[in-house]
Amino acid sequence: MFRSPFPDVDIPDVTVYDYLFASLTDEDADRVALVDGPSGRETTFRELRAQVDAVAGALAARGIGVGDVVGLLCPNVPAFVAVFHGILRAGATVTTVNSLYTAREVASQLRSSGARMLFTVTPLLAAGGAAADEIGLGADDVVVLDGAEGHPSLRDLLTVGTPAPDVHVDPSTHVAVLPYSSGTTGVAKGVLLTHRNLVANVAQTSPLLEMTPEDRVLAVLPFFHIYGLTVLLNLALVKRARLVTMPRFDLQQFLQLVQDQGCTYLFIAPPIAVALAKHPMVAEYDLRTVHTVLSGAAPLDAALGQAVAERLGCRVKQGYGMTEMSPVSHVIPASADLPLDSVGWTIPNTECRLVDPATGQDIDVPAEGESEAGELWVRGPQVMVGYLDNAQATADTLDDDGFLHTGDMATVRADGVVTIVDRLKELIKYHGYQVAPAELEALLLTHDDVADSAVIGIRDEEGEEVPKAYVVLQPGRAVSGDEIIAWVAERVAPHKKVRRVEIVEAIPKSSSGKILRRDLRAREAGR
Ligand code: AYL
């Protein structure tokens, strides 16, 4: 077992709202909290807090509060922030939905989470509205923030005039957000994250990330993902920094906003690092204001990270975590000079074990050099309380001692620096987004011509991880791989597309019927 090398930090026993807004000084209240990137429209902390309170009041007036789940299907726009924190302030729980999801995927999450309302925007109303309809919500339960015929708008909510309710919840047990993650196996499950989990992760990362009120942070990573929610949104809010929102990644707009808004701090995933290191357009913009770039959500190639640092003349760091850890457990501190293929040190108030998956034995921190690889287990105040309505998955992931089994293989150096070296679990990451093989396999089985299937992640020509399906056809059928790719693409969000298909005679399985993914991976490696 090894602990964070940093002293413990104080984790206030308060709700997310109180943590972010209770101590807002008059001076800070007049600072700009949010800038809508495309329009330049600014919202101060005072205005934001008033909107949060108004949304909370309007929800309370509708009878939404403690025990209710509300869906949020919305790109990065300032209204996301008012609504997200308004729902929490009302005592309800937010389930954040990927804004590229198809109606089928949105419905599945809304149904699973038991959502009573959905907040969305006009461009996503086709998917959101159909999903809401499918699970039996009425038009009045679907708030379209920018206004749409027949639905309440954000303006309607802001003008209800009911004061924010006085909600008393225990921050340690009350669930604030319910993001979905497949964890180490199976399909996506609701991850129960409490107010304390979220407050803790901001408090834990805050001393290491060194964000100040002078920082201007570009919010291009989606708020609906826990990385965007905790490390971007909540950290920037508590630091009273300025967040510049971007609804979707577009390299030119990204560069333009960094230049025009004088952004100083960028949070990215590895695909954006590729663009920043290699794209010719980058040279056309003045990006000198940027001092720090933090990459996370998937492994950053060290040479690529170094290339970004040199081209932008800034520091590039890496963080690691998972949705089930709210999400951060490891980070390279902003001012530490550590190799970029590592994920830095264990953050404060956090303990780890490295466990040999074959023997179950602990691998200790060596006196010098680097340890053998083992599965990384993490315990700390940021670790989820469990999965929604899934005691089995919870028991498989969280042990009796409170350690979360990450499904990632890591090594640790004598000085405590951790490097992620492999993934044990089924999960595939495409551009930093989760792809659950079990979900694609289940979908493929609904295709008339498919008798069996297995999905794993392979590396494409650029070294990018992509989902590949092995498919066994029904006898006498002759559908092509490309047809299967197109068929899946119609039914899933873009990141979940199957990008390679191989028609095979049989899927390798254990005697108990489990897909032997190891064998498929070995087959890929032998090519
Ligand atoms: P989820 N290096 C290698 N693998 C990583 C890394 C990394 N830096 N970060 C995440 N992963 C993989 O739930 C790993 O397999 O959360 C992990 O179990 O979508 C899985 O992604 C979790 O995927 C940050 C920024 C943490 C982001 C995050 C994690 C959010 C991803 C700290 O500073």
Side-chain angles (χ1 to χ4, degrees), residues 181 225-227 231 294-299 318-324 327-328 343 406 408 420 423 425 427 429 432 434:
S181 165
H225 187 261
I226 192 72
Y227 179 15
V231 188
L294 183 76
S295 174
Q318 178 167 216
Y320 158 84
M322 57 194 266
T323 306
E324 289 81 347
V328 187
V343 293
T406 64
D408 290 308
I420 305 295
R423 209 181 289 139
K425 54 188 167 189
L427 177 69
K429 279 266 160 137
Q434 288 199 0

Side-chain angles (χ1 to χ4, degrees), residues 169-192:
V169 293
D170 178 353
S172 320
T173 54
H174 189 60
V175 176
V177 289
L178 196 54
Y180 272 66
S181 165
S182 65
T184 54
T185 181
V187 296
K189 299 167 276 288
V191 179
L192 301 163

